[in-house]
Amino acid sequence: MRIHSLQHVPFEDIGSMSSDFQARTYSVTTTHWYRGDVAPALNSFDALVVMGGPMGIYDEAIYPWLADEKTLIKQAIDAGKIVLGICLGAQLIADVLGGKVTRNAHKEIGWLPLSIEPEASGHPIARILAKYPDVFHWHGDTFAIPPGALHIARTEGCLNQAYVYKNHVYGFQFHLETTPASAQALIENCASDIDGSHYTQSADSILASPQKFNRINQAMSEVIAHIFDQ
């Protein structure tokens, strides 16, 4: 399996997924958009992992590569490749599939529990997430569930947290791949997001329980087993 990741800023990489892919001897390549990399050839990868970032999906005037990224995502989906989007990545995929991205009513930063949508409870991804409901968040925007996609999960402060489209495209607003080191990097680079609003937590609270990171990383491993090992 050839994995290609799309990275938007230096401090948001694939996190714990790196170990999962390495254990499977999957090859991993990366487009670092912020460094001026160009999009990969469509035939150079089997699966696309689209990561997070502090920019918005409509900020093409500031980040012109967003247009190339959306084109690549659409091509990958149309080609039937596995596509996984996390946070900004899930928003980009939703946009490509016709789901509007908007500012959420609340920022969500820290550890917040998921609720599984009843109609999705039998889906393998929903069954995994039901075992690990307390997941890590860092976002201010949200997506509409794309037409034809299955709505998987929500939180109290954000209606749309996860979706699956045609069983090869997956969008998660939350983060299962975050490690203590990558959480620390987010805190250092995006500290102004922690504004004391209702669904945001302090840096100390975020980092207080290393076992929480272990649990979401285990959830990520189970998600990868379902998505990439089929």
Side-chain angles (χ1 to χ4, degrees):
M1 175 75 73
R2 300 169 300 165
I3 309 292
H4 191 84
S5 70
L6 303 179
Q7 189 171 332
H8 307 102
V9 286
F11 53 89
E12 286 201 59
D13 60 17
I14 61 173
S16 70
M17 287 186 279
S18 178
S19 297
D20 291 307
F21 294 146
Q22 186 175 26
R24 290 164 169 77
T25 67
Y26 292 167
S27 66
V28 180
T29 53
T30 302
T31 295
H32 299 267
W33 296 114
Y34 60 94
R35 295 198 314 214
D37 291 359
V38 297
L42 189 63
N43 64 3
S44 68
F45 61 88
D46 304 306
L48 196 62
V49 179
V50 191
M51 295 308 302
M55 62 286 297
I57 70 144
Y58 302 121
D59 290 341
E60 293 179 11
I62 305 170
Y63 307 102
W65 42 260
L66 281 167
D68 294 334
E69 183 170 19
K70 292 173 188 177
T71 297
L72 176 66
I73 291 169
K74 185 178 189 308
Q75 290 172 341
I77 292 171
D78 290 347
K81 295 181 185 287
I82 296 167
V83 183
L84 169 63
I86 294 172
C87 201
L88 174 68
Q91 296 164 11
L92 286 162
I93 295 168
D95 177 70
V96 164
L97 292 174
K100 189 172 178 60
V101 176
T102 58
R103 179 67 63 181
N104 194 47
H106 308 279
K107 286 182 183 177
E108 290 187 313
I109 295 175
W111 301 97
L112 298 164
L114 294 175
S115 297
I116 302 301
E117 294 298 302
E119 66 272 21
S121 60
H123 193 281
I125 294 296
R127 291 201 298 267
I128 293 168
L129 295 176
K131 295 189 296 180
Y132 304 96
D134 200 21
V135 298
F136 185 68
H137 303 258
W138 198 298
H139 71 101
D141 288 349
T142 187
F143 48 74
I145 300 299
L150 176 65
H151 185 193
I152 296 286
R154 69 174 69 202
T155 56
E156 183 177 277
C158 183
L159 175 63
N160 298 327
Q161 286 283 351
Y163 59 86
V164 178
Y165 177 78
K166 293 188 175 180
N167 283 322
H168 71 100
V169 181
Y170 304 82
F172 297 161
Q173 184 59 69
F174 48 89
H175 298 264
L176 300 177
E177 83 292 350
T178 303
T179 64
S182 54
Q184 181 65 53
L186 277 168
I187 290 164
E188 291 173 359
N189 288 276
C190 302
S192 62
D193 289 342
I194 303 175
D195 59 7
S197 54
H198 185 65
Y199 295 104
T200 65
Q201 297 166 10
S202 70
D204 288 344
S205 295
I206 288 169
L207 298 173
S209 300
Q211 66 271 22
K212 288 187 174 182
F213 294 98
N214 293 336
R215 284 185 60 77
I216 60 169
N217 295 165
Q218 175 59 34
M220 188 80 257
S221 296
E222 294 183 28
V223 166
I224 284 172
H226 173 73
I227 292 176
F228 296 97
D229 296 352
Q230 298 183 58

